[in-house]
Amino acid sequence: MKLPFLLFTLFYVVGWTLELPKERQPVKDWMSAHGYKEEKGSAAKWEVEATALVLVQDGDSTTIATERGMPLKLTAESKLTLELKVDAMPLKGDLSRSKTEDAAFRLFVVFDEGGGLTTPPRTIGYAIASSGAAGDVVTSERFDTVRFQVLAAGKPAVGSWLTFTRRVADDYKRLFKTDTVPPIKGLAIKSDANDTGGVARVSVRAIRID
């Protein structure tokens, strides 16, 4: 009687964390060791310092993604924890318009409903935005299956370490108006300033789902 449950738990992963080294190393080495690939742009300007991933953009855009450790099944108690510090952001960014869709940081949580990471199925983009306010929800003008959940916005988000926690399953149900939450297919980390010609610099200390 317990066999189906056992097979279920073997198939799905129940937790995920951003693994960071204890010392500085080339970003390409870190990406290769932990299953990340560039989905857009180049991460050559990014840095891996002691216990932090540093995202650096100067008028350009970079997205790295991983499906390692997936699929990840969520429960009602599953919690996303994110710790980061924004030192610079593209001040003219506006997530509601595709022509100005720059943001210092976005974590894309891609759900397992078919499709890929660049032409996504239903996806939540947890964002540090240049405009708007914390709590805003924005539907992407590029993909109507992507919802941006703004965690912090504007100048108040710059200069200090920030910690955010989210119940991802609750966010999914609210944003997509459904009671059924599929497992997570992949995660993508993005920083961009190409649409508005700005700059961005963000240090990420922790991304964890448990």
Side-chain angles (χ1 to χ4, degrees), residues 3-203:
L3 182 57
F5 176 75
L6 177 61
L7 291 175
F8 184 85
T9 55
L10 287 174
F11 179 75
Y12 287 112
V13 181
V14 294
W16 188 92
T17 189
L18 179 73
E19 297 182 45
L20 292 169
K22 299 300 182 184
E23 59 186 17
R24 185 183 180 90
Q25 67 176 228
V27 68
K28 296 288 188 177
D29 291 352
W30 173 81
M31 288 173 60
S32 177
H34 296 287
Y36 292 91
K37 294 182 179 179
E38 291 159 329
E39 297 291 333
K40 180 179 181 180
S42 170
K45 296 177 185 176
W46 290 18
E47 303 168 3
V48 180
E49 299 180 347
T51 69
L53 172 65
V54 183
L55 289 53
V56 182
Q57 309 298 146
D58 186 357
D60 53 359
S61 175
T62 303
T63 305
I64 66 171
T66 184
E67 293 184 58
R68 180 173 290 188
M70 308 295 168
L72 176 62
K73 183 169 180 62
L74 297 171
T75 69
E77 290 75 32
S78 295
K79 180 177 66 175
L80 165 67
T81 301
L82 173 64
E83 297 179 25
L84 55 77
K85 178 165 70 77
V86 178
D87 289 316
M89 67 165 57
L91 296 179
K92 297 180 181 180
D94 181 351
L95 290 175
S96 68
R97 302 295 302 275
S98 61
K99 292 182 178 180
T100 57
E101 196 190 82
D102 285 342
F105 175 86
R106 275 172 279 184
L107 174 68
F108 289 101
V109 181
V110 183
F111 291 85
D112 194 3
E113 297 180 326
L117 294 180
T118 55
T119 306
R122 286 178 175 175
T123 298
I124 300 175
Y126 291 103
I128 306 298
S130 300
S131 58
D136 286 353
V137 174
V138 180
T139 298
S140 169
E141 197 172 63
R142 299 179 193 274
F143 303 106
D144 62 8
T145 54
V146 176
R147 304 287 190 273
F148 299 122
Q149 175 67 66
V150 177
L151 302 178
K155 291 183 179 180
V158 177
S160 301
W161 284 100
L162 305 171
T163 300
F164 304 96
T165 59
R166 304 293 304 189
R167 297 288 186 188
V168 181
D170 288 347
D171 284 343
Y172 184 90
K173 292 176 182 178
R174 174 174 51 85
L175 296 175
F176 295 105
K177 297 178 173 56
T178 179
D179 291 328
T180 303
V181 182
I184 296 173
K185 176 178 183 174
L187 298 173
I189 299 169
K190 180 173 185 175
S191 180
D192 65 334
N194 59 316
D195 293 323
T196 60
V199 297
R201 184 179 176 89
V202 181
S203 297

